[in-house]
Amino acid sequence: MPTLILVRHGRSTANTAGLLAGWTPGVALDERGAQQAAALPGRLAGLPISEVVTSPLQRCQETVQPLLDARPELRAHTDERIGEAHYGDWSGRKLSELKDEPLMEVVQAHPSAAAFPGGESMRAMQTRAAEAVREWNARVERDHGGDAVYLMCSHGDIIKSLVADALGLHLDLFQRISVEPCSITAIRYTRLRPFLVRLGDTGDFASLAPREEPPGGDAPVGGGAGVP
């Protein structure tokens, strides 16, 4: 079965503003995010990518555009099932405010029980994304063969939930996974089990250096903004 390359979108204006964007329209890449997207074709130069699938949201569309420009034989397929979590009433709010919401504790410690007010549950988010991957696996294998490589550009919580699914981890453990903006995660699917072969690879180890203000113990909902 195919190998899936999961790319988180580049850093966005919402990431730098500390907002939980969700499906809020008009959230674009910031200057650093545009640079990350521009570097993506070079990072993937050695891969024979057969298909590109992307979230419908602007920040993902902008992230894959340099790759599509570099490989005119490819076109992007849009799939809403790999779009960001529907955060409902939380969409567009500051993460600094949301940390005091009682639901945030559930999102961190027991996400399989979390449902966003006016939005969707985290279980539903993982289910739709995993179903999309399985359908695209079958389609890519049918059209391009079992050794094919294809790419999906999506969002932090979506990618983390797909990694958990591939590893057989309960959704309650998915907050232990980290994927930075424009990071590359690769999952090789086989008939019996998936193999996680790359996780959150940016090619840059700056995020591992000690910071003046150490990050807190909670996982950033939406995925975080990466290196300052």
Side-chain angles (χ1 to χ4, degrees), residues 34-191:
Q35 293 170 350
Q36 292 169 331
L40 196 58
R43 294 170 63 197
L44 298 171
L47 290 177
I49 296 171
S50 59
E51 300 281 1
V52 173
V53 188
T54 179
S55 156
L57 296 173
Q58 180 178 339
R59 52 199 182 272
C60 287
Q61 303 275 338
E62 291 179 349
T63 298
V64 298
Q65 193 57 53
L67 177 65
L68 298 175
D69 292 341
R71 302 197 191 191
E73 74 278 8
L74 292 174
R75 68 180 184 88
H77 305 272
T78 299
D79 194 323
E80 292 195 358
R81 295 173 296 176
I82 62 167
E84 181 61 286
H86 291 278
Y87 295 119
D89 297 343
W90 280 23
S91 298
R93 292 182 60 187
K94 285 189 172 293
L95 289 164
S96 59
E97 298 172 358
L98 291 171
K99 68 180 178 62
D100 296 324
E101 292 279 355
L103 177 61
M104 183 60 85
E105 188 175 14
V106 181
V107 169
Q108 293 292 328
H110 190 19
S112 65
F116 297 101
E120 69 180 335
S121 69
M122 301 199 89
R123 295 189 315 278
M125 174 199 74
Q126 183 186 45
T127 297
R128 63 174 165 84
E131 287 178 350
V133 166
R134 281 160 175 76
E135 288 183 20
W136 276 101
N137 281 348
R139 177 172 172 174
V140 170
E141 182 175 17
R142 181 197 67 205
D143 294 344
H144 302 283
D147 294 329
V149 177
Y150 75 107
L151 181 146
M152 281 186 168
C153 185
S154 188
H155 306 265
D157 282 348
I158 296 289
I159 294 173
K160 288 162 56 177
S161 74
L162 289 171
V163 170
D165 174 75
L167 292 176
L169 292 177
H170 196 283
L171 184 62
D172 286 344
L173 301 179
F174 100 126
Q175 297 288 28
R176 302 183 184 194
I177 299 165
S178 175
V179 289
E180 292 195 4
C182 224
S183 63
I184 293 173
T185 295
I187 302 171
R188 180 173 295 126
Y189 288 87
T190 73
R191 187 174 66 87

